[in-house]
Amino acid sequence: MAVNSAEPRSLALLGLGAMGTALAHAWLAAGYQLTVWNRTAARAEPLAAEGARVAATAAEAVASADLVVLCLLDDASVGDTLADADLSGKDLVNLTTGTPDEGRARAEWARARGARFLDAGIMAVPPMIGVPGSGGYVFYSGSREVFEAHRDTLAVPAGTTYVGEDPGYAALHDVALLSGMYGMFAGITHAFALIRKEKDIDPRDFAPLLANWLVAMTIGVHGTAEQLHSGDYTQGVVSNLAMQVAGTSTLLATAEQQGVSPELLTPFMDLMRRRLDQGHGDEGTTGVVDLLLR
């Protein structure tokens, strides 16, 4: 990927797990002067052979560059790792997985130590890093100045999506998408369980049917967004809540007949019925969103 020649081409990377190592490979391949540090020093040796400078301590790594990227185990490890480092004048980009509140607190923590801060949420797995067209990208939130100053550098390993000045927004977007993913995985798991005992149904033949159906149903994401924006939960409804709740009995009966636990489905079904009982049978399922709010 192209690099802005006006931007400093050096940075420090702290943390060389699977993701940190993939990031390091990408920046080294792009010609960056990279200083790395890892608690287990042996993990840095292959990168040294590629031209990375290996710092003996985290503080030494931080001192080597104005841009410091963190890819550590958790938020607590960020504080522990940087405890002895002078952060004055540094730009910290935190790629460590955390919660929105941890991102906000870490931004204040960094500001109190004289650093600018950008939090991040990585929407990729290590094999996608540094691979053009892989679809991997990273959410960033916090200081827009830091993001703009280092946009080209950050774009080397994966695409960049800035989601706002609130430092917690990157983690929030990350967790929201992952939560949607696990909900989908729950449905996939239940679907395969229903056919699992059937010797004449090959799961490999069933898989494309399920995948294509799920893709077709993703249009519902946009419908939900429009309804939440407008406040009209009946807008564009084709299959209303009353009809859907009535149909759940067939799903549950089929699970019973196939010897499959309905435990992945019943929490959502219970919420649908509660919304229906509140008198919203002409809506779709968007109103369930409001039932989840506390």
Side-chain angles (χ1 to χ4, degrees):
M1 300 180 185
V3 178
N4 185 341
S5 59
E7 181 182 351
R9 296 195 56 172
S10 65
L11 70 155
L13 172 63
L14 283 65
L16 298 175
M19 181 59 74
T21 297
L23 294 167
H25 285 309
W27 277 311
L28 288 169
Y32 277 80
Q33 298 173 12
L34 181 67
T35 299
V36 298
W37 173 87
N38 193 66
R39 192 174 302 278
T40 303
R43 295 191 68 95
E45 292 175 2
L47 295 170
E50 294 181 34
R53 176 178 176 269
V54 180
T57 66
E60 179 184 325
V62 171
S64 72
D66 292 334
L67 173 61
V68 179
V69 178
L70 304 156
C71 191
L72 300 168
L73 177 63
D74 53 25
D75 180 71
S77 65
V78 173
D80 292 342
T81 297
L82 297 179
D84 298 326
D86 181 2
L87 303 182
S88 301
K90 303 296 181 180
D91 287 343
L92 301 184
V93 177
N94 187 25
L95 298 177
T96 304
T97 300
T99 69
D101 281 353
E102 286 174 340
R104 295 173 182 124
R106 190 57 64 189
E108 290 297 324
W109 176 91
R111 188 176 300 113
R113 286 157 180 79
R116 300 190 300 179
F117 183 84
L118 197 63
D119 205 40
I122 304 177
M123 304 309 298
V125 293
M128 300 169 72
I129 298 299
V131 180
S134 70
Y137 65 96
V138 181
F139 287 122
Y140 292 97
S141 63
S143 171
R144 179 177 285 277
E145 289 182 352
V146 173
F147 177 74
E148 294 298 340
H150 303 292
R151 180 197 290 264
D152 291 341
T153 296
L154 298 175
V156 168
T160 61
T161 300
Y162 182 77
V163 290
E165 294 276 353
D166 186 323
Y169 277 7
L172 181 58
H173 280 72
D174 179 20
V175 171
L177 293 193
L178 291 175
S179 298
M181 178 190 74
Y182 279 110
M184 180 187 70
F185 285 170
I188 291 170
T189 299
H190 184 84
F192 275 114
L194 289 174
I195 68 160
R196 183 63 172 148
K197 296 179 181 178
E198 302 298 330
K199 296 181 180 178
D200 292 335
I201 301 180
D202 189 326
R204 296 171 299 179
D205 295 332
F206 181 73
L209 300 175
L210 179 58
N212 290 338
W213 174 249
L214 292 175
V215 169
M217 290 300 99
T218 58
I219 191 172
V221 172
H222 302 288
T224 297
E226 289 294 336
Q227 290 178 356
L228 290 171
H229 177 73
S230 69
D232 180 2
Y233 295 175
T234 65
Q235 175 185 343
V237 169
V238 175
S239 179
N240 66 32
L241 191 60
M243 181 184 300
Q244 292 193 55
V245 169
T248 60
S249 61
T250 299
L251 275 63
L252 296 174
T254 300
E256 176 69 22
Q257 293 165 18
Q258 293 297 108
V260 172
S261 169
E263 61 192 287
L264 292 175
L265 298 184
T266 49
F268 188 68
M269 290 180 176
D270 290 345
L271 287 167
M272 291 169 61
R273 181 168 294 281
R274 193 198 312 173
R275 184 69 178 176
L276 176 63
D277 291 344
Q278 292 175 349
H280 301 285
D282 56 343
E283 297 178 353
T285 59
T286 298
V288 171
V289 173
D290 293 339
L291 292 182
L292 294 176
L293 303 180
R294 294 188 291 181

